[in-house]
């Protein structure tokens, strides 16, 4: 009998107060996305396995929840939204004028160890900007991520900004197997492993290049080729635009932040909040993904973890929006019709009204009003 009352591994219930807080945050974020011109799209919860495991996503296959359809084709629950939106853009929006500005707010699934901030089913809100490749587009994405965290009620957060092409340029003349070892060490933030590799000291400094915009000046001395210099120029221009957006105070540079080398092609970023040991949001430029679907096109975007934002709000002591209902409406026997009409009148005026489903004494109605978290009792005698 116990198993009947449990949720599957890596999933959770949202109780009324939690669900209300979640919905309020999602609505604020979604209104922000819309104010920037991003339009919502909704894709299926499941996709064909080959859709989710294109060249950039093969590494994720062991973490997918898989199943078979009636024709014995393998399906999988979506593990993120960028890939389904890339498919959608190429298959259904290929005649739409560029750039495409698309948004989403949904649940995604990924089998992994159930740790704080890491569930098997979790909720994401995000945007994808498809069809343009410049610093202006990247700056809009980063500014939008910063503003999304702000409208969600967070004040204490930082966005770590990097550029995968900086490290890529420094190692481009090395053998591929050495590049793989370096990338792996940097992605794991394994400074010891990096120091033990037989490579130039310049590469070993990459994880230490963290801080304010002065880091870009320090990195210029290490930029030995055009590819690395272009990466720094890109970050410099993005930062200039973020100053105009008014969010530069939230930015810290981390040239050791490379996320996934096989996926990202330019700027990358992650958002963190004090006291929460995992990123709240992350994204970057991924100019090669749509090529896997037959239509090469530049793109950039980000995703924000809703539960992670809720965790950060609790840590920062953000007061949840009131869930109190405006009225509890109760009545004596025989006053049901009047009660229904009165409640309809109040609801038409924008009020939240809970009506008793049975006649009550006034003393019982007063008790119910308090128990139901209603601000005021209306009692029809």
């Amino acid at each position: 009998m116990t198993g009947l009352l449990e949720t599957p591994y890596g999933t959770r219930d949202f109780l009324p107060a939690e669900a209300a807080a979640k919905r309020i945050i999602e609505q604020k974020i979604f209104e922000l996305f819309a104010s920037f011109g991003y339009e919502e799209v909704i894709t299926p919860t499941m996709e064909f396995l080959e859709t989710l495991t294109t060249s950039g996503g093969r590494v994720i296959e062991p973490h997918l929840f898989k199943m078979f359809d009636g024709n014995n084709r393998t399906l999988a629950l979506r593990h993120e939204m960028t890939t389904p939106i890339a498919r959608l853009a190429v298959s259904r929006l290929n005649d739409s004028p560029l750039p495409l500005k698309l948004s989403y707010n949904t649940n995604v699934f990924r089998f992994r160890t159930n740790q704080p901030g890491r569930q098997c089913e979790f909720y994401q809100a995000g945007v994808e900007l498809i069809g343009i490749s410049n610093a202006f587009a990247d700056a809009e994405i980063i500014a939008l991520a910063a503003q999304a965290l702000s409208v969600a009620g967070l004040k204490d957060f930082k966005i770590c900004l990097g550029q995968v092409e900086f490290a890529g340029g420094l190692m481009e003349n090395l053998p591929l197997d050495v590049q793989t070892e370096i990338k792996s060490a940097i992605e794991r933030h394994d400074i010891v492993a990096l120091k033990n590799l037989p490579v130039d000291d310049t590469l070993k400094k990459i994880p230490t290049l963290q801080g304010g915009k002065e880091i870009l000046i320090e990195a210029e001395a290490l930029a030995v080729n055009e590819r690395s210099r272009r990466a720094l120029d890109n970050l410099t221009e993005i930062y200039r635009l973020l100053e105009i957006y008014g969010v530069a105070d939230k930015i810290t540079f981390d040239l050791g932040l490379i996320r996934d080398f096989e996926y990202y092609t330019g700027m990358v970023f992650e958002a963190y909040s004090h006291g929460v040991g995992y990123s709240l949001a992350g994204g970057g430029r991924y100019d090669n993904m749509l090529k896997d679907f037959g239509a090469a096109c530049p793109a950039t975007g980000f995703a924000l973890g809703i539960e992670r934002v809720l965790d950060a709000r609790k840590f920062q002591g953000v007061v949840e929006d009131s869930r109190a209902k405006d009225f509890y409406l109760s009545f004596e026997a025989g006053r049901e019709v009047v009660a229904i009409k009165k409640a309809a009148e109040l609801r038409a005026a924008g009020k939240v009204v809970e009506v008793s489903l049975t006649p009550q004494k006034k003393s019982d109605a007063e008790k119910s009003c308090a128990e139901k978290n209603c601000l005021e009792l209306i009692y029809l005698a």
Side-chain angles (χ1 to χ4, degrees), residues 179-238:
Q179 289 191 36
T180 299
E181 289 187 73
I182 295 171
K183 292 173 184 177
S184 177
I186 295 176
E187 286 178 355
R188 298 194 316 270
H189 301 286
D190 192 339
I191 297 176
V192 174
L194 189 61
K195 285 183 177 179
N196 290 332
L197 291 174
V199 296
D200 187 271
D201 286 345
T202 299
L203 286 166
K204 297 177 181 180
K205 291 180 180 179
I206 291 176
T208 69
L209 296 173
Q210 302 176 355
K213 60 181 179 180
E214 71 279 358
I215 288 296
L216 300 183
I217 298 173
E218 182 180 340
E220 285 179 6
L222 307 178
V224 295
N225 58 24
E226 185 61 27
R227 183 178 175 187
S228 295
R229 286 190 289 271
R230 282 199 307 269
L232 295 178
D233 289 343
N234 174 249
L235 288 179
T236 300
E237 177 61 8
I238 289 173

Side-chain angles (χ1 to χ4, degrees), residues 8-24:
Y9 172 81
T11 65
R12 60 168 290 186
D13 295 315
F14 286 85
L15 300 182
E18 297 169 323
K22 173 177 174 290
R23 184 66 66 198
I24 289 169

